[in-house]
Amino acid sequence: MSFAIWALIIGVLLITMALSGTSLQRLPVSTAMLYLLAGFGIGPAGWALLSPDPLIHSVILERTTELAVLISLFAVGLKLGLPLSDKGWRVTARLAVVSMSITVMLIAAIGMLGLGLSLGAAVLLGAILAPTDPVLASDVQVVEAGDRDRLRFSLSGEGGLNDGAAFPFVMLGLGLLGLHDLGTGGWRWLAVDVLWAIAGGLLIGGALGALIGRLVVYLRSHHKESVGFDEFLTLGLISLAYGLAVLSYASGFLAVFAAGLALQRVNETPGRIANPTPLETGLQRRQADEALATHTAYAGAYMTQAVKGFNEQLERIAEVAVVLVVGAMLSYTYLPASAVWFVPLVFLVVRPVSVWLGLVGAPVSRDQHILISWFGIRGIGSIYYLMYAINHGLPRRAAEEITALTLTVVAVSIVLHGISVTPLMSRYTRRTAKRQRSRKHD
């Protein structure tokens, strides 16, 4: 296909989304659903303009999905503004660690007993499907750093943490298949792939985000230097955190998430403007931006907002590209009728059970508990881990089975959650507002 035809297709799609974006927010339809449908239409089942065979093009698919997840993890980190001492983080951690681990075990058991998979393949399937997706979950995420809603914060934090926390289980599955060294008695897996990967990733990313963020704010507010190029700061910090973490055998995903979280914390204690005159003298836009960027009280806030805005645009572009490819890949998979039962089981049994067990005694309301159980959105993180496993020597038969299951679950998740997110979240928002008004009257 010529570049001109590709330009035409992408141009029509992007302009259509730009013109209809506001209307779509009021309808039970998500943008990801439309990208999925468009991808299926230009794939082998439709116009055959895109042919991303997952078993042939797994390397480029791994890199593409990896980049999309990294951008989204950084964006999630920038949005989570609750202090680390807040109890909301406890719920998030329990979802990302306890509930996710239970999900892996439940899916592994189902894979062995119901699908006839080997132990290694079953664990790998569980690890691929366990993480919730930070890319496709924007409608249930926090919008601003000050958002303290427990439902949105928990789902946002879970998506940010468990994409990295799932990696040890992926390596465990590959190790059980003989494709990764687990060490005698699993010592290497526990010490390196679990303990160091998680702790090291969070430490490296947090340190880099805080250091670079404070350095930029210092240079801007005290020396009027390093102004502008916030796009370079975004891409540079993502790349630096990821590269250093991976070279250190730590989790690159957790490092990028922690870097975004730490960068946002640079703006935790803004001061007041001592003299607002420079901001009110009719400066041109560029001069006004520079005045804010170098102001002692607002340098941190301006940097965070600029980085966040650019990163959100990147996230949307990445969503378009990856979901289009996922839609096209559906033509290469076939889920046998004997395995169709697996898909509803993941959404209606595995997710609710894992959330219920993970949040026993947690301070969440009944509405929040139900919605957290439902919005276990699967997506691009699962596709990345699938491609990672294929590129690390996953046997063809197991690859075909796991690919069919993964793509089907992701596609169904995009459709079901896309249809339900607008009415469910609108209802939740109304009920939350009503309860808050009742408390004020009391």
Side-chain angles (χ1 to χ4, degrees):
M1 183 175 64
S2 70
F3 179 76
I5 295 177
W6 263 115
L8 178 63
I9 293 173
I10 297 299
V12 169
L13 180 62
L14 294 182
I15 291 176
T16 300
M17 297 310 300
L19 296 176
S20 61
T22 304
S23 300
L24 288 175
Q25 292 176 359
R26 298 191 293 266
L27 300 174
V29 177
S30 69
T31 56
M33 290 174 60
L34 300 182
Y35 302 150
L36 186 73
L37 179 62
F40 188 78
I42 64 175
W47 295 340
L49 301 177
L50 184 63
S51 303
D53 189 326
L55 300 183
I56 296 177
H57 302 102
S58 57
V59 174
I60 189 170
L61 289 173
E62 179 187 345
R63 293 292 168 250
T64 303
T65 52
E66 186 175 25
L67 181 60
V69 173
L70 289 173
I71 292 170
S72 187
L73 289 175
F74 190 70
V76 172
L78 288 171
K79 295 176 183 177
L80 299 179
L82 286 185
L84 297 179
S85 58
D86 191 278
K87 292 181 179 179
W89 280 104
R90 300 179 189 177
V91 176
T92 297
R94 289 169 69 171
L95 286 172
V97 178
V98 180
S99 294
M100 192 200 66
S101 300
I102 294 172
T103 300
V104 174
M105 291 187 288
L106 289 176
I107 293 179
I110 294 169
M112 292 180 63
L113 299 176
L115 299 174
L117 298 176
S118 65
L119 175 60
V123 170
L124 182 60
L125 176 64
I128 289 172
L129 294 179
T132 55
D133 194 81
V135 181
L136 304 179
S138 58
D139 290 326
V140 295
Q141 287 182 358
V142 296
V143 178
E144 298 295 338
D147 192 343
R148 304 182 69 88
D149 181 78
R150 185 149 292 174
L151 170 65
R152 293 183 179 276
F153 186 87
S154 298
L155 290 171
S156 301
E158 180 191 15
L161 284 171
N162 67 11
D163 264 318
F167 189 76
F169 291 104
V170 172
M171 303 312 295
L172 176 61
L174 291 175
L176 294 173
L177 289 169
L179 303 174
H180 176 67
D181 181 19
L182 299 177
T184 305
W187 72 267
R188 187 188 184 282
W189 174 77
L190 180 61
V192 178
D193 297 331
V194 179
L195 299 178
W196 167 245
I198 294 175
L202 293 173
L203 179 64
I204 291 171
L208 286 174
L211 177 63
I212 293 175
R214 293 185 185 281
L215 177 61
V216 171
V217 170
Y218 173 79
L219 290 174
R220 289 181 178 181
S221 60
H222 290 78
H223 301 284
K224 313 300 180 184
E225 298 288 346
S226 302
V227 179
F229 298 102
D230 293 298
E231 299 84 356
F232 286 17
L233 176 61
T234 301
L235 297 175
L237 184 53
I238 291 174
S239 301
L240 185 61
Y242 180 76
L244 183 58
V246 171
L247 291 175
S248 303
Y249 299 97
S251 171
F253 283 174
L254 288 177
V256 170
F257 170 73
L261 196 64
L263 188 69
Q264 194 272 138
R265 290 303 191 275
V266 172
N267 183 38
E268 276 194 323
T269 54
R272 291 191 175 187
I273 295 181
N275 179 13
T277 303
L279 304 179
E280 300 175 353
T281 55
L283 294 173
Q284 297 298 320
R285 177 62 182 270
R286 182 173 180 179
Q287 293 174 309
D289 285 346
E290 290 181 358
L292 283 172
T294 57
H295 197 285
T296 304
Y298 288 100
Y302 182 88
M303 176 193 67
T304 302
Q305 195 63 31
V307 169
K308 181 172 175 285
F310 174 69
N311 202 81
E312 287 177 346
Q313 298 302 318
L314 284 180
E315 188 178 21
R316 292 192 183 98
I317 294 172
E319 179 186 1
V320 174
V322 177
V323 180
L324 277 176
V325 173
V326 171
M329 281 196 294
L330 292 176
S331 300
Y332 289 97
T333 63
Y334 171 72
L335 187 66
S338 59
V340 171
W341 56 268
F342 175 80
V343 179
L345 198 64
V346 170
F347 297 114
L348 302 178
V349 178
V350 173
R351 173 67 178 180
V353 169
S354 64
V355 169
W356 181 77
L357 292 175
L359 296 185
V360 171
V364 294
S365 68
R366 181 173 178 272
D367 286 350
Q368 291 169 343
H369 204 295
I370 292 173
L371 291 176
I372 290 173
S373 297
W374 173 242
F375 286 118
I377 302 173
R378 268 60 180 184
I380 297 175
S382 295
I383 303 299
Y384 164 73
Y385 280 127
L386 170 65
M387 297 304 145
Y388 180 90
I390 292 174
N391 289 330
H392 280 72
L394 186 63
R396 186 175 183 85
R397 181 177 177 181
E400 290 174 347
E401 293 176 344
I402 294 177
T403 298
L405 291 166
T406 300
L407 290 178
T408 303
V409 167
V410 169
V412 170
S413 179
I414 290 174
V415 174
L416 287 182
H417 293 121
I419 292 173
S420 62
V421 65
T422 298
L424 289 179
M425 291 305 295
S426 296
R427 180 175 178 270
Y428 170 76
T429 301
R430 289 195 303 270
R431 295 186 65 168
T432 300
K434 184 178 179 180
R435 282 195 294 267
Q436 290 175 346
R437 288 195 298 268
S438 298
R439 292 194 189 101
K440 289 181 180 179
H441 291 312
D442 295 339

